[in-house]
Amino acid sequence: MIVKKATKKAVTRREWTKTDIKELKAHSKARTPVTKISKLTKRSIGALRQKALVLGIGLGHQR
């Protein structure tokens, strides 16, 4: 019996464009849940929260 090793998924990094930042700010103002933003933008929740922190905007329902 041969057992395959689990391979890690390759990390693909995408730069934040001006339109991405505008979209994030709009979602912040509309108080869109982070999970929903994550699915729409195809970015991780951590990436969204980190970018919001750098921009100085609130994200999520607890602010």
Side-chain angles (χ1 to χ4, degrees), residues 16 24 34-35 44-54 57 59-62:
W16 285 87
L24 186 63
V34 185
T35 51
S44 69
I45 293 170
L48 293 170
R49 289 194 187 280
Q50 190 62 39
K51 191 61 179 181
L53 184 74
V54 170
I57 59 174
L59 205 63
H61 69 287
Q62 295 178 334

Side-chain angles (χ1 to χ4, degrees), residues 3 6 9 12 16 18 22 30 37-38 40 45-46 49 57 60 63:
V3 179
K9 195 173 183 183
T12 55
W16 285 87
K18 287 183 181 181
K22 277 184 184 178
I37 303 170
S38 176
L40 290 170
I45 293 170
R49 289 194 187 280
I57 59 174
R63 32 176 156 161

Side-chain angles (χ1 to χ4, degrees), residues 4-62:
K4 276 190 171 182
K5 274 189 174 179
T7 55
K8 282 190 175 180
K9 195 173 183 183
V11 177
T12 55
R13 295 173 188 233
R14 288 189 294 132
E15 291 290 321
W16 285 87
T17 61
K18 287 183 181 181
T19 53
D20 288 338
I21 293 168
K22 277 184 184 178
E23 190 179 352
L24 186 63
K25 286 181 179 180
H27 282 298
S28 173
K29 205 167 210 173
R31 292 183 178 256
T32 311
V34 185
T35 51
K36 196 170 186 180
I37 303 170
S38 176
K39 287 174 187 171
L40 290 170
T41 57
K42 294 183 181 167
R43 293 184 186 268
S44 69
I45 293 170
L48 293 170
R49 289 194 187 280
Q50 190 62 39
K51 191 61 179 181
L53 184 74
V54 170
L55 293 172
I57 59 174
L59 205 63
H61 69 287
Q62 295 178 334

